[in-house]
Amino acid sequence: MSLPPASDERWIEVSNTLNRDGFSVLPGVLDSHQCKELIESYDHCRFRSTINMARYGFGSGEYKYFSYPLPPALTELRPQAYDRLVGLANDWYAAMGKPDRFPAAHSDFLKRCHDAGQTRPTPLILKYGSGDYNTLHQDIYGDNVFPLQMAILLSDPADFDGGEFVLTEQRPRQQSRANVVQLAQGDAVIFAVRERPVRGTKGVYRVQHRHGVSRLHRGSRFTVGVIFHDAA
């Protein structure tokens, strides 16, 4: 697992891009060996829940929520990424006039979630085959919501066609804007869970976000989702 130190200037670039676009790509968060281990865990790890997307109208394909303890790579990554993002999360909440603030340590934020009945882990692994896709959605899970999350591509892009990561942005009284994010194996995209503040001529307004995956045309595609709040 390779995250730049919190003091690294790359995090300034990530924050600037998140403020501008609502998403930012961070290359090489997981190496090929870690990606392979997580893909192999799909058939061997202990999960708390398996979701058939077609059954619930979420698209086509399957995903599984990890149980605690998380796999080692995610156990290390989740709090470290939270540490790098919590300052921006608090800036966003302040700009949107929300009274809540997030504690500096991820363990303290999870305690807040658990005290409110959000005790189920939310990191998940998603599996797509030919013809599968994921409809546009938001990962909320309860009243305690950290406003940023990560998705990491585990598969080699040479092993599939289609299956692009798609983000939409809805500004007030405007048509939705879509972004397609290209990732290499091990790259992470960091993005807004639900909304972010944008400064306009009349002050700050809230931009709504959704994300999904376009239809896969060939091969298979695995992704890990790192969500920082737990589920009710």
Side-chain angles (χ1 to χ4, degrees), residues 108-126:
D108 292 333
F109 176 59
L110 284 184
K111 183 178 185 304
R112 179 188 296 179
C113 290
H114 295 176
D115 289 346
Q118 293 178 221
T119 58
R120 296 185 298 163
T122 49
L124 70 163
I125 183 168
L126 304 98

Side-chain angles (χ1 to χ4, degrees), residues 2 23-24 43 45 75 84 97 104 106 140 152 155 159 171:
S2 178
F23 71 94
S24 184
D43 293 321
C45 193
T75 297
R84 273 76 162 166
H106 186 240
I140 305 299
I152 305 169
S155 300
D159 293 338
R171 300 195 179 204

Side-chain angles (χ1 to χ4, degrees), residues 17-227:
T17 309
L18 282 164
N19 280 323
R20 186 189 68 215
D21 300 327
F23 71 94
S24 184
V25 174
L26 192 61
V29 169
L30 297 177
D31 61 34
S32 59
H33 177 70
Q34 291 169 318
C35 289
K36 181 181 178 183
E37 281 191 336
L38 285 167
I39 289 173
E40 291 175 347
S41 78
Y42 197 85
D43 293 321
H44 304 293
C45 193
R46 189 168 66 91
F47 297 93
R48 70 167 176 86
S49 181
T50 299
I51 304 297
N52 180 299
M53 286 192 256
R55 177 181 177 186
Y56 295 96
F58 297 161
S60 176
E62 186 179 80
Y63 59 86
K64 297 181 180 182
Y65 289 103
F66 289 102
S67 295
Y68 283 132
L70 303 176
L74 300 184
T75 297
E76 183 180 0
L77 174 63
R78 201 181 184 205
Q80 288 191 19
Y82 176 95
D83 176 69
R84 273 76 162 166
L85 296 170
V86 66
L88 179 62
N90 282 326
D91 288 346
W92 280 10
Y93 264 43
M96 291 187 289
K98 294 189 175 188
D100 292 340
R101 296 295 179 268
F102 299 97
H106 186 240
S107 57
D108 292 333
F109 176 59
L110 284 184
K111 183 178 185 304
R112 179 188 296 179
C113 290
H114 295 176
D115 289 346
Q118 293 178 221
T119 58
R120 296 185 298 163
T122 49
L124 70 163
I125 183 168
L126 304 98
K127 177 183 179 182
Y128 301 90
S130 181
D132 290 341
Y133 65 96
N134 195 353
T135 56
L136 295 169
H137 64 283
Q138 298 171 325
D139 296 317
I140 305 299
Y141 299 114
D143 292 333
N144 289 280
V145 177
F146 192 75
L148 295 152
Q149 68 186 82
M150 301 175 69
I152 305 169
L153 180 64
L154 302 179
S155 300
D156 186 332
D159 293 338
F160 62 90
D161 291 325
E164 294 90 355
F165 189 82
V166 179
L167 294 145
T168 63
E169 172 190 282
Q170 177 63 64
R171 300 195 179 204
R173 298 176 297 281
Q174 295 185 26
Q175 298 291 337
S176 295
R177 181 177 73 170
N179 287 287
V180 175
V181 182
Q182 302 292 338
L183 300 172
Q185 185 180 41
D187 288 356
V189 55
I190 306 168
F191 55 98
V193 172
R194 177 166 57 188
E195 58 188 0
R196 83 178 201 276
V198 172
R199 184 167 296 281
T201 57
K202 297 182 179 180
V204 173
Y205 58 93
R206 300 182 187 184
V207 171
Q208 295 292 317
H209 289 268
R210 294 181 183 275
H211 65 279
V213 172
S214 69
R215 191 180 301 275
L216 202 76
H217 302 305
R218 176 192 65 86
S220 63
R221 178 188 188 275
F222 287 84
T223 307
V224 155
V226 181
I227 300 155

